[in-house]
Amino acid sequence: MLICASYICKRDLLFTYTRTCCDVHGSRNHSAEEPLLLATPDNITVSAGTRLSLVCVAWGNPAPNITWTPDATAVPYQNVYNTSTTLNGLTYVVSILEVCYTEPQFSGTYSCTATNGVAPASLGGNSASFQVQVLSQPSCSSTYAVTSNLQYVYVKQEPSCILCTLPGGVPTWYTWTINSSSAIGQNGTNILFNRSTTLLIQDPILLLKGATGVLQVQCYDQTQLISYQAYVALSEPSVIVAGPQDIITSSNLKLSATCVAWGKPLPTITWTSSYTNLTSFNTYTTSVSDGQFSYVVSILEICPTSFITSDTYTCTASSTSSGTSLGLTSSSFVLQVPNTPPTVQVVENTNLQVLCSLVGNSSVVITSVYWTDSLGSVVSNNSTLQVLGIQRNRSGVYTCTIQTASSSSMSTTTVTVLYPPSAFVVGEQTIYGIQGLSVTLSCSFVGLPIPNITWSGPLGQQIQSNPHFTIVSSSNFTQLTINSLIRSDTGNYTCVATNYLGVSSSSTSLYVQVPPDSPTNVIITYRSDSTISLSWNYGFNGNSPVVNVSISYESPNYIGVEGTMYLILPAMFSATLSGLHPNANYSIRVALVNAAGFTSNVTIVLTSTLSLRLMAPTITALYSYISVQLVMIWTVVADSTMAPADSWIVEYMPFGGSPTNVTVQGSLRMFTLAGLSRGTLYSVRLAGVNVAGLGPFSTYVQNTTTVDAPSVPLNLATTVLNLTSIVVSWDPPLDNGGRVIAYYQIQYRVVGVSNFTLVNQIYDLQCTIMDLSYDTIYELQVAAFNGALFSTLTPSVQQKIQPQGVLPPDPPSNITITNQNATSISLNWNTGFDGNSPLVNVSISYWSSNYPNDGTQYVLLPLVYSSTLSGLHPNANYSIRITLVNALGVSSTLVTLVSSTLSLTLVAPSVSALYAISSTQLAMRWMITIDTTMAPADSWIVEYTPFGGSPKNVTVQGSLRMFTLTGLSRGTLYSVRLAGVNVAGLGPFSPYVQNTTIVDAPTIPEIQSALPLNSTSIAVSWAPPLDNGGQSIQYYVIQIRVLGGGTFSTVSQVLALQYMYVITAGVQDGTAYEVQVIASNGGAISIPSLMQVITPPIGPPFPLSVMPQVYGSTDTTAVVTWISPGGYIDNYTLQYKPSDQTWNGATTYTVEASATIFTISGLIPNTSYDVQVCTNNKNSSSDFVAQTFITLAPPKLKVIGPTSPVPVGTTLTLECVVEFGHNSTVIWSRADGNSLPPVAISKGYLLLFTSVQAQTSGIYVCTFAGSTGPISEAFSLNVSDAASLQASSQLPLPSVTPPSTSIPLKLVIVVSLGAGVPLLCLVLICFICVMVLYCRLKKSPYKMQNPLYDASPNALSLSLESTESSVIEAPLEIFANF
């Protein structure tokens, strides 16, 4: 016995089912089993006239038979399809009951029963029942017959049926298309199938409105492959109107909205709006007729578009018949222009925030909103334009762009940044003007609002325009003109600029130049017989530097003879009038002159010249009675006309010297000149001085002062030169007696002898007395003679001549080389036994084997013990001989010394260390190679070069091995090297060594401001350090802590060129903080700069300012977007619910504050929903703002094609009809997995066969990528080679080639009228284009496609498709229907 624990049933697209039964031993058993229904239909509700398919699946052993109740006799149009398949040993049976056309009487209970001769088991049943309900169609008020092709059918405004009567007998299968589309027949739509031959138009007005007044229908008999086309229009007075769709456009444009109306009689169109005044807009209306059908076109021209033109516009068509109104029909569209304020004013250094939004509900989906500045740069990627701390250079035009899927609209806002005024003087701060003339003071100013400008004068009084003052001002410039200047106009003039944001002023100093005041304190400082000297002081200079001084004089004693004017430089305060008459009266006028003219009051001085000067005196005697004085005596000629001498000027001048004056009383006639030089020739003269001045000098008289005897010569000494000579030496006397010593005189005698021997005219301080006697004592004395007198003789000095026994001196000993270099050798020596005679000299001679032509002898004084031989050749060997000489002769033995000079060039030193000891110092050490063959370094040249700079040199003593470079730049890399300098010159440099000086810490980066931007962010700005510490600032460290808290925490490290940062991390509302900024130059950090700031507490959140928008809805999903209202937001709350339910059961989501978009999924298709959004923060939540949307219906597929076999060579089309599709794509394939045949061309929803063959037969699958997954529909195509079927009777499906008869062409041209284009011209142009297109269509195999809207909401494009699968675009923006 089989015991089954469970049934596991799986269903796939082919309706195959499997069941696994296991016995207790786990083995399979395929013995006889009762039938079991695995799948049965659910209860079904359909509309009348639709196709119904019911499926039952069963399995059993043997294979069961499935029967249906009621049977085919009870339900006409019924087909039953049975198939079976064996899988894993089990046989499955699938049975399909198909009702081609449902009618209401078909409603009832249906059942399927499976039987196979085995009794039913307890585990399942073999019969299942379900309910089928067929909804009734609305009845037809009128029925209209189509009995011929291309027939016009005129219907009433009521549910109407179109009866198609095709020739050839009773139709078996009809399909209907409307405007070339087969998407008709579904429940709830305007058009319904009614049985097979009737098409129900439930609402003709609604349908004809969408078809622009004329509806093209086609009934097609798929059995006979014949069809009729008909044109449906209204047959009675009626009104149909079609207007534009909702529009979003930019501001400042011209928008043309077109409305088309149809009806009998022809209606009248009027335009209205909700609140916009349309009187300022233009409307253009015209009517078009082709003899059978007429319509009216009205164009509303909205210019310019702006936010205030955002409104709902309605075009209303009305018609009357026999004075009776036939009613009104209207069509509305929503015009939306971005709402941005035309102008915005904001104060500098505050925050700017401008919102771009749309008002009103529109069907247009917005994809993005952003702001750009006047340069086209994007400054905000959302609807809010925000600029923190705005500056005046950010003034300009900002554009908000709102983009949709097909277009974009723009609106501009002019942002004006207001700022306090600034006034500044144009030109010099100090201005000079001449009295009587005019002067203009200029002042430039800036500020918004434009400042109010005033001028104030020297006393602070406000100046008003009058004849004396003229004020001219513009928007940024003002001028004050002072006419006919007077002296009191001098002073400071201030330009004051004022607006409500502040006050600014700038001053100019005006000096009115008038003629200067007369000079003061004019006094006579000197008079003579021919000159008058005077001086004066300046008074007020008239605000203009004195250019010159004018002096004129005249004498009453010489009227008409004398009168002269002197022009003196302005800096002069005195003058001398010369060439005057003696003893004459003079009037002297003194006037000052400046740029404005002469002094108004001239100063007059009266004075007179003195009588004639004294005559020259006569010197009668000039003599000297002591060595430093001269006595002079003079006489004068007595003359009563002269003023007596008040004093005498005695002038004396030594020979070859400069004159000296001495003043003597006027009563004297004798005077002694004292303090003169002895023995000197003097020239002397004198002149008298009286009130007339200095008189003439006497002639020169000369005489010489007397000479004294010189003092005694000093330090008399004697030395025995040899056995017969004595050398006598002495020092000159301390006093030469007033004259240079002419010579010396020596007297000597043998001691005990009375007479002296004289040696005269000795001109040196040494003398050798020869031819003396041996072993004799001599007495010697010296006297000095100055050409006039002999000095007293020196005390006697005795000297004895030595006896015989004097020998040559011993040779020098201990001869050593003390120094040597490249060109010199220094040596010293000691002397031994002098041979009983003082050494007379030392003789040194030298020669070189390298240079045999060189040889030199030195003769030195006897007391010298060292010498330096110079001018030698470098690196040469020398023989040196030293000889001592006394009175007897040279050394008995010659001493020869061999030595050599050093080489010239130094070797390069080596820098062993270079290190920084401060920010401006580098210490260096170096080593040298010790080489005795080289001349040592006398100095060192240290060269140091900063990175990227020029080298500098410093000289260091040659004995040093360490040196510190000072005055360097901080934080700078230096390259250092050095070279030695010796007698040979500059040696080679050492290799470069590099190191960097130490960097100091930067100074404090001063915080300029620390202000809360909002409750949770702080904007801090700072100025860079005044001193970067020697290295560029690398970055700034921003730190913050709660006031009075612990350590600072670092919130950011910003780059060096950034001087502002917004702190958001960890900032709480209503909290006091300390903010500090630290500068770092990469080597050291600055002292922090500190500032306190308090954040304001968070207030309630703002609600959404614009309703949330829903776009991209599918049958189960919707995308919700909204615009952030600004302010502090923690998150958003989003709720949604079906519109027929309350919010208590709404689904709630929390959305992050950074997101303004959310996708809702799991929705019910074709259902109305409400969605609402609110803002939340820690304070509270805002009010909800709601919106409503409707999900789409789920998609359904149906393939339309020939149901009977088609002959080989036929051209046909399969059409995949998608009901409630969601803009997705359709893919065609074959069920067997093979590729589409070459004759099959997939064009979207159509599969075109150019010429079918027998192998073209098969099952073709249409797959639609729906939002919830792909769905498919299969179609079986059967190609027959029966010769009875003629290709000539075949027509393409569903497209029908237009007949060769003339097709009435009805076109509605929708255009945008430009300003100034006459309506009649435009209509004429359109008519010509239509006729050309019409003629082309009659001769070409093209069919008309659906009119498609282009990017403009006011225009349509006409698309034509050929039977050869090519597409053309008409060069006119038109739409049309045949």
Side-chain angles (χ1 to χ4, degrees), residues 920-936:
T920 59
Q921 293 180 327
L922 286 175
M924 62 181 297
R925 297 178 184 271
W926 64 91
M927 299 183 299
I928 59 173
T929 303
I930 304 299
D931 190 342
T932 58
T933 65
M934 293 188 303

Side-chain angles (χ1 to χ4, degrees), residues 223 225 240 315 366 410 500 531 546 581 668 873 890 909 929 957 1021 1027 1080 1178:
T223 302
L225 302 181
I240 301 176
C315 68
I366 297 174
M410 295 178 289
Y500 74 88
T531 62
V546 174
H581 295 283
L668 297 180
H873 293 282
V890 299
T929 303
Q957 294 180 10
S1021 64
D1027 182 4
S1080 173
K1178 70 177 187 179

Side-chain angles (χ1 to χ4, degrees), residues 13 1194-1198 1216-1220 1225-1227 1261-1273:
L13 294 178
K1196 295 182 180 179
L1197 289 185
K1198 179 172 64 178
C1216 186
V1217 178
V1218 182
E1219 299 176 359
F1220 308 112
T1225 59
V1226 168
I1227 299 175
V1261 179
C1262 165
T1263 301
F1264 176 77
S1267 60
T1268 58
I1271 59 175
S1272 300
E1273 180 72 14

Side-chain angles (χ1 to χ4, degrees), residues 15 56 61 63 134 170 175 289 296-297 432 501 512 515 585 587 687 712 812 853 969 997 1247 1259 1276 1335 1369 1373:
F15 307 104
C56 276
N61 190 15
V134 180
V170 179
T175 59
S289 176
V296 179
V297 179
Y432 295 90
L501 296 176
V512 178
N585 296 322
S587 296
V712 178
N853 294 327
S969 299
T997 52
L1247 183 60
I1259 298 176
S1276 178
C1335 295
E1369 293 290 333
E1373 289 189 344

Side-chain angles (χ1 to χ4, degrees), residues 39 140 218 226 272 418 469 672 919 952 988 1146 1180 1195 1197 1292 1336:
C140 297
Q218 176 181 349
I226 58 176
T272 58
L418 307 179
F469 296 103
T672 299
S919 60
K952 297 181 181 179
S1180 61
L1197 289 185
R1336 177 61 178 163

Side-chain angles (χ1 to χ4, degrees), residues 991-1223:
Y992 279 109
V993 177
Q994 293 182 326
N995 208 338
T996 304
T997 52
I998 299 173
V999 177
D1000 291 333
T1003 56
I1004 297 177
E1006 183 180 355
I1007 294 181
Q1008 303 293 322
S1009 64
L1011 302 172
L1013 291 181
N1014 50 46
S1015 301
T1016 58
S1017 61
I1018 298 172
V1020 57
S1021 64
W1022 60 91
L1026 297 178
D1027 182 4
N1028 61 11
Q1031 187 165 292
S1032 299
I1033 300 300
Q1034 301 297 313
Y1035 57 86
Y1036 295 95
V1037 178
I1038 316 300
Q1039 296 182 330
I1040 189 172
R1041 72 176 179 186
V1042 177
L1043 182 64
T1047 59
F1048 281 90
S1049 60
T1050 299
V1051 296
S1052 182
Q1053 178 174 302
V1054 300
L1055 297 178
L1057 297 180
Q1058 183 176 340
Y1059 304 116
M1060 189 186 79
Y1061 183 76
V1062 177
I1063 305 173
T1064 57
V1067 178
Q1068 302 294 325
D1069 64 301
T1071 306
Y1073 288 96
E1074 288 179 305
V1075 179
Q1076 66 180 17
V1077 179
I1078 303 171
S1080 173
N1081 58 15
I1085 62 174
S1086 69
I1087 298 174
S1089 60
L1090 188 66
M1091 183 171 285
Q1092 296 180 0
V1093 61
I1094 301 177
T1095 57
I1098 294 175
F1102 299 118
L1104 299 186
S1105 58
V1106 179
M1107 288 188 299
Q1109 301 294 318
V1110 180
Y1111 70 94
S1113 297
T1114 67
D1115 53 340
T1116 59
T1117 63
V1119 179
V1120 184
T1121 64
W1122 59 90
I1123 299 174
S1124 173
Y1128 184 81
I1129 299 174
D1130 286 335
N1131 52 54
Y1132 298 94
T1133 297
L1134 182 144
Q1135 294 181 336
Y1136 73 92
K1137 66 174 182 64
S1139 298
D1140 57 355
Q1141 298 181 9
T1142 64
W1143 286 106
N1144 292 334
T1147 303
T1148 302
Y1149 291 97
T1150 299
V1151 184
E1152 295 180 355
S1154 59
T1156 56
I1157 185 171
F1158 186 80
T1159 300
I1160 304 175
S1161 59
L1163 303 178
I1164 300 173
N1166 199 24
T1167 303
S1168 175
Y1169 282 90
D1170 297 330
V1171 61
Q1172 62 181 10
V1173 180
C1174 75
T1175 57
N1176 309 303
N1177 63 19
K1178 70 177 187 179
N1179 187 300
S1180 61
S1181 299
S1182 71
D1183 294 334
F1184 279 99
V1185 178
Q1187 179 65 283
T1188 301
F1189 65 95
I1190 301 176
T1191 56
L1192 301 178
K1196 295 182 180 179
L1197 289 185
K1198 179 172 64 178
V1199 178
I1200 299 177
T1203 57
S1204 59
V1206 295
V1208 173
T1210 301
T1211 299
L1212 59 86
T1213 302
L1214 298 185
E1215 182 177 5
C1216 186
V1217 178
V1218 182
E1219 299 176 359
F1220 308 112
H1222 308 301
N1223 299 324

Side-chain angles (χ1 to χ4, degrees), residues 808-879:
D810 289 347
S813 61
N814 297 328
I815 300 174
T816 59
I817 302 299
T818 60
N819 188 25
Q820 61 188 146
N821 57 31
T823 58
S824 66
I825 297 175
S826 297
L827 64 162
N828 57 19
W829 59 87
N830 293 333
T831 57
F833 175 61
D834 62 0
N836 295 321
S837 175
L839 296 177
V840 178
N841 54 47
V842 178
S843 174
I844 301 177
S845 61
Y846 61 91
W847 62 94
S848 173
S849 59
N850 307 97
Y851 302 94
N853 294 327
D854 290 354
T856 305
Q857 181 169 341
Y858 288 78
V859 178
L860 307 177
L861 293 177
L863 297 180
V864 176
Y865 298 95
S866 64
S867 179
T868 297
L869 308 180
S870 58
L872 306 182
H873 293 282
N875 200 24
N877 296 321
Y878 281 90
S879 297

